[in-house]
Amino acid sequence: MAKWQIGVFASIDAGLGVHLDVAQELGVPTIQVHAPHAGTRNPQAAAAFLKRCSDAGITITAVFGGFEGESYADIATTARTVGLVPEETRAARVQEMKEISDFTKLLNCPTVALHIGFVPHDTSSESYKNLIATTRDLLDHVKANGQQLNLETGQESADHLLQFINDVQRDNLFINFDPANMILYGTGEPIEALKKVGKYVRSIHCKDAKWASADVRGTAWGQEVPLGDGDVGMERYLRTLLEIGYTGPLTIEREIPQDRARQKADIGHAVSLLQNLRSKILS
Ligand code: MG
């Protein structure tokens, strides 16, 4: 695959990402997708979606899991509802994530990804130990499907994420680095974080955000903004990706599904920005 192919986060059915026709109209050659709902995770749906992608010349590079009951309304709600961390839903969600891994295999895609949730800080707690065991069990299933699992960044600091990966001790656990999330959640300066976790970065998001004001950082959201308008610093971000040896897709994420026209316009703008930076940096 050519270095730094442009990508976009898309949805197979109704969801946060853009629809496939938008990726096609923008001439984007790779996509990550949100896993569809259980009712459409079947071989027929996979074959139909794969055919649409191949007709459009689009490669699927990762499938993101997500679950009923998750809410990103605010940081506290996110901590309570997202990923494999909430204990009441942990067993059911890991089972569903295995099914998503199976569906991902039908899409011939080697990468599943997810927000694992707010990993407990007390690494001696039962909840942490159980999360390690649960993650290992999931990774073994994912590995049997010939896949890796990439954890979305943001909910942990770089150091905490590194510790978690180290404690899980599996060779197919990696990172999907999202610089804007580090800002939105207030978990650390993104470029510094990227350098720390660099060796685990196997996929990335190109997304931008502005920090929440210092008094509420970490408890109130920062603000997601169009690529190039935020505090990430896109040129420095791409130069750092090159430094850590990342040459995979540059997947644009713009989560404003309530405004499809603006979403498309912003993504179109992001595509040009990334194309310009790519020629400047790689030439
Ligand atoms: Mg992201």
Side-chain angles (χ1 to χ4, degrees), residues 9 115 152 176 178 181 205 207 253:
F9 213 147
H115 278 281
E152 173 80 338
N176 182 87
D178 185 325
N181 280 356
H205 287 159
K207 188 169 90 184
E253 183 180 23

Side-chain angles (χ1 to χ4, degrees), residues 101 138-148 170-172:
S101 165
L138 172 60
L139 285 167
D140 294 343
H141 185 97
V142 164
K143 184 154 190 169
N145 278 335
Q147 297 160 343
Q148 63 187 8
R170 286 291 185 277
D171 62 6
N172 60 332

